[in-house]
Amino acid sequence: MNPPEAAAPPAPITIHSYLTPGDERTLADDVLDGLTRPFKELPPKHLYDTVGAELFDRICELPEYYPTRTERAILVAESARIAQATRASEVVELGPGTAEKTRVLLGALAAAGTLERYIPVDVTEAMVVRVADELTTTFDGVEVHGIVGDFERHLQHVPPPGDGPRIVAFLGGTIGNFTPGARRRFLRSLARLLRPGVDHLLLGTDLVKDPAILEAAYNDAAGVTAQFNRNALHVLNRELGGDFDVDAFEHHAFFDREHEWIEMRLRATRRMTVTLAALDLRVEFAPREELRTEISAKFTPERLAGDLAAAGLELEQVLTDDDGLFALSLSTPAAR
């Protein structure tokens, strides 16, 4: 039995929500786990409340932050080739936001005459509804089956593929937010949505490059990324009754050369005790103690191929910009 519809939009739009009241405990559980460890950390998903999402949109427009515009440029240059190679009739997209970049691919598939369905999976219902309305207006006759849910926990609700080939799109370099083991487990879950020799994973990955370029992208001169990072503490104050002195934490982002990833942290400028009333929790911070809020792994061709192979996926194409900053890859499940 299908759950109640989250909204009642006109056909050809269908939207289902798989979030439950218990999902609201995710933040509390993550904070209780992450802030009581010897090395404190929070999952990066808690950076993206409404304010955080708006700040990230501003980050994407900054001159230092190359990933968004570079990935879009690759899509503009290569979407016709992707459409020809895949002949996809549907696109499943994880975390699409406004689906701004994906519209380029959908346009190429529509021009090729194959596009029939788009399946966005996003935790924000209002965004799914907005995207569904906009895309059904833009692409005549295309069905939208929206899923309101967490793509780490609700992939089982993605409907079975139709008669034609499917693309699962995971763009923006978000795969880099996973630690190596979790990354390979998640890629395996994506592989289960695909049929060997028929369907494809379209994956966006940021590439290893000059550390100065990487660090500048996360330490912009305007300080927007610092605002974005500190906003996580505003979320804890609002949602869990916290009393973080947000201004007492410095934004710190650096490239870890051993792991080849960016780490984003918040550093306490003084000794303090923070109370989270909703959890009945007191957390001590020493001067200059750090709280990790994000990792963003960068990829080499070898790492990309290795991660995909470990997930049972065969790498078919890697498409990059001329400067080798970012990559889109197409892979398909290995024959079983």
Side-chain angles (χ1 to χ4, degrees), residues 11-275:
I13 297 172
T14 303
I15 297 175
H16 292 296
S17 176
Y18 296 95
L19 298 178
T20 67
D23 293 320
E24 297 172 1
R25 295 297 304 165
T26 303
L27 174 62
D29 292 342
D30 288 345
V31 169
L32 191 60
D33 177 40
L35 266 62
T36 56
R37 296 179 181 182
F39 175 65
K40 299 177 176 67
E41 60 183 325
L42 286 174
K45 63 183 176 182
H46 299 307
L47 293 163
Y48 295 91
D49 67 340
T50 302
V51 173
E54 291 172 354
L55 287 169
F56 185 71
D57 284 344
R58 288 174 57 192
I59 289 169
C60 293
E61 297 172 358
L62 295 170
E64 299 96 331
Y65 195 78
Y66 60 86
T68 301
R69 64 175 176 270
T70 305
E71 185 177 42
R72 190 181 193 284
I74 298 170
L75 283 167
V76 169
E78 302 289 356
S79 280
R81 187 197 303 190
I82 294 170
Q84 182 178 20
T86 64
R87 305 298 298 171
S89 62
E90 69 178 33
V91 175
V92 179
E93 184 172 15
L94 311 183
T98 62
E100 188 268 336
K101 288 177 292 188
T102 318
R103 293 166 204 247
V104 178
L105 174 61
L106 296 177
L109 293 170
T114 63
L115 182 64
E116 297 176 0
R117 182 165 67 163
Y118 175 62
I119 304 171
V121 183
D122 200 287
V123 75
T124 305
E125 180 179 335
M127 191 64 70
V128 173
V129 172
R130 172 185 161 186
V131 166
D133 287 339
E134 291 177 354
L135 292 183
T136 51
T137 300
T138 303
F139 301 107
D140 216 20
V142 173
E143 174 190 354
V144 175
H145 185 124
I147 295 174
V148 181
D150 183 335
F151 57 65
E152 291 187 63
R153 294 182 294 128
H154 297 121
L155 285 183
Q156 71 271 25
H157 299 297
V158 172
D163 294 334
R166 158 185 282 183
I167 290 174
V168 172
F170 194 37
L171 304 178
T174 308
I175 191 65
N177 294 150
F178 293 83
T179 57
R183 184 165 66 232
R184 292 184 173 199
R185 286 193 299 274
F186 185 67
L187 287 171
R188 281 197 291 272
S189 72
L190 298 187
R192 289 193 285 271
L193 299 175
L194 304 170
R195 296 162 294 182
V198 178
D199 303 329
H200 288 84
L201 172 65
L202 179 66
L203 184 66
T205 49
D206 199 2
L207 300 177
V208 172
K209 60 186 69 67
D210 182 347
I213 296 173
L214 288 165
E215 291 182 344
Y218 293 82
N219 292 285
D220 62 276
V224 182
T225 309
Q227 286 181 260
F228 172 69
N229 197 10
R230 281 194 289 264
N231 185 63
L233 303 183
H234 286 298
V235 172
L236 301 191
N237 284 348
R238 183 183 67 243
E239 301 295 332
L240 298 176
D243 60 0
F244 279 93
D245 180 354
V246 176
D247 292 335
F249 285 82
E250 297 174 334
H251 167 71
H252 179 48
F254 64 96
F255 182 60
D256 181 324
R257 286 161 172 77
E258 179 183 355
H259 294 101
E260 293 186 311
W261 64 40
I262 285 281
E263 287 210 15
M264 206 159 70
R265 300 182 180 185
L266 291 167
R267 177 187 291 156
T269 58
R270 56 177 172 81
R271 185 178 302 278
M272 66 188 87
T273 301
V274 176
T275 301

Side-chain angles (χ1 to χ4, degrees), residues 297-308:
K298 310 307 172 185
F299 289 79
T300 61
E302 295 76 19
R303 175 174 296 132
L304 175 61
D307 282 349
L308 292 171

